[in-house]
Each structure stands twice: as structure tokens, then as C-alpha cells.
Amino acid sequence: MNQIPSLKDQSALVTGADSGIGKGVALALAAAGAKVVINYAHNQAAADDVVAQITASGGEAFAVQADVSHEDDVKAMFAQMFARYGTIDILVNNAGLQKDSKFIDMSLADWNTVISINLTGQFLCSREAAKEFIRRGVVEDRSMAAGKIICMSSVHEVIPWAGHVNYAASKGGISMFMKSIAQELAPHKIRVVGIGPGAIQTPINKSAWDTPEALDKLLTLIPYNRIGKPADIGQLAAWLASDQADYITGTTIFMDGGMTLYPGFADNG
Ligand code: NAD
């Protein structure tokens, strides 16, 4: 994908854009011409650094603090975006985390935190974006759609994950959330799409790649035999947000080097 689709004059909001995949997505959307809101929860310096990278390459961005699981924060974040950019064309629901433990040891607090941020956060942000898309409608010289929502899911929307039950449940929930709002919003010319990353090299899964032994073990799950990079997901997100993907809605695109091909069955069964 060398030819970057144009997102010129469009404004985008990427949640959790100060790190990892969100940062990769924000950089890719900005490279395609979008103005980008860099949402962060706690690390303002990291968010400012992403803004600086974008502006240094001639793009436009600013950082907004908000906890996506808090309704007031989300509303205030959208108000700041509308005050600066007037509207929203692209929402990337990326913020997410893990709180891992054996199922029988999992606290209610860790269950609630993961569901609140990974799933409820997508609900709160998508609702604000959809209201604005419907109010404004299609702007023909910007995009064929009235708006695009990209939901960062995971291969764990389909692969069960022992020891990570709250995380897998949140991603399974995102799948049905994404499809249901895609069905409801399509008549308004709003597209909703999921991205299901496999193993992407970010802080969330550092222990799975930061030693040669861990990386070798991880690669047994990836037929294509390399770990993904945030830029891989960034390019996909920029394309999905563009009119080149105008007929795609209500489905998850897995970008996983074949992790969802059940590689354990390649020579067994
Ligand atoms: P990361 O830890 O680098 O980034 C997570 C981001 O979410 C950070 O920017 C963090 O600040 C933000 N965040 C956490 N809680 C927040 C909150 N309450 N409000 C706002 N932002 C919050 O990890 P990542 O790998 O870049 O993860 C990004 C997304 O990709 C997550 O949804 C994750 O589940 C998904 N994902 C990652 C992988 C992978 O292999 N890295 C695979 C599949 C899916």
C-alpha cells in the first residue's frame, strides 16, 4: 500500500493516540492529510510528542486529555474538537488495556475497568461522533460518507484467551457493538468497521516480544513469521477511512500475519 489515500480536509479523533497502535494510526491519518485529535489518558508528554511529529511533517494535530470511560470527559473532548475543527469525519476507537489474571482470581474491579475502557469507551465516543455525523450529513467534496468509525478490536474477538477473560469479552463485545451500530447507521451514510490486530509490537504486550525466547514463542502463533508494527495498522486505518473503502461497513478486517488461521492445525489434526 504505497499510495496513500487522501483524507484531505477531514478531521479525525484517535483515542489512546499517545502510544502504540493509536500513535501509528494518528501518524498515518495525518500523513494522508487529516487533522487529528490526539487523545490521551495520562501521558501528556507522549501526546505532545505525537503532535510535534505531525506538525514537523507539515500536518495538523492537537492533544486532548480524556478518560474514554467517563461520559463527561468524552463530551468535553468532542466539544474541544468541535471548537477547533468544527466537526468530525473519522473516529478511531483505539484506547484499550489489559488487566490479566486467572479467571477464578479475577477481581470485579479488574473486570469492570477493562469492560469500561475497552467497550463502554467505544460506546461513549461512537455515540458523540454519530450524533455529529447525522447532524452534518455528507459533505461531498470531503468524503462519500457522512462519517467513519473504526473500532480497534483484536484477534481475541474470535480467539478465546484463557487468563485474559475480561479482555477477550471486551473484544467479543466490540464485534457485536460494531456490527449493530453499522446496521443502524448505514442509512445515514455512516460506515463502521473493525480492525482485528494480531500481535503488534507495542507496550501492551512487551513481555511477549522483548526477549528472543518470548519472541520465538510468539512467532509460533504467526504463520507469516513476523510481529506486526503500529504502522501496519496505521496504513489499514487510513485506507478504511478513505473513500477507497466506501463500500466496507459492518465487518472486522483482521491484520494478523495469519494468527486467526489456527496455525496449530498446520501439521496436527
Ligand atoms: P498501548 O498500551 O501502547 O496503547 C493503549 C492506549 O490506550 C494508550 O495510549 C493508553 O493511554 C490508552 N488508554 C488506556 N486507558 C485509557 C482511557 N481510560 N482513556 C483513554 N485512553 C486510554 O497498547 P496498544 O497495543 O497500542 O493498544 C491499542 C489498542 O489495540 C487496544 O484497544 C488494544 O486492545 C488493541 N490491540 C493491540 C494488539 C497488540 O498486539 N498490541 C493486538 C490487538 C488489539
Side-chain angles (χ1 to χ4, degrees), residues 250-269:
T251 194
T252 296
I253 312 288
F254 290 99
M255 194 180 216
D256 64 356
M259 193 176 251
T260 42
L261 297 175
Y262 298 95
F265 276 81
D267 56 6
N268 180 16

Side-chain angles (χ1 to χ4, degrees), residues 16 18-21 67-68 94-96 153 167 171 197-198 200 202-205:
D18 58 300
S19 174
I21 291 175
D67 181 328
V68 295
N94 167 77
S153 182
Y167 182 85
K171 297 301 183 180
I200 310 298
T202 76
I204 208 173
N205 55 3

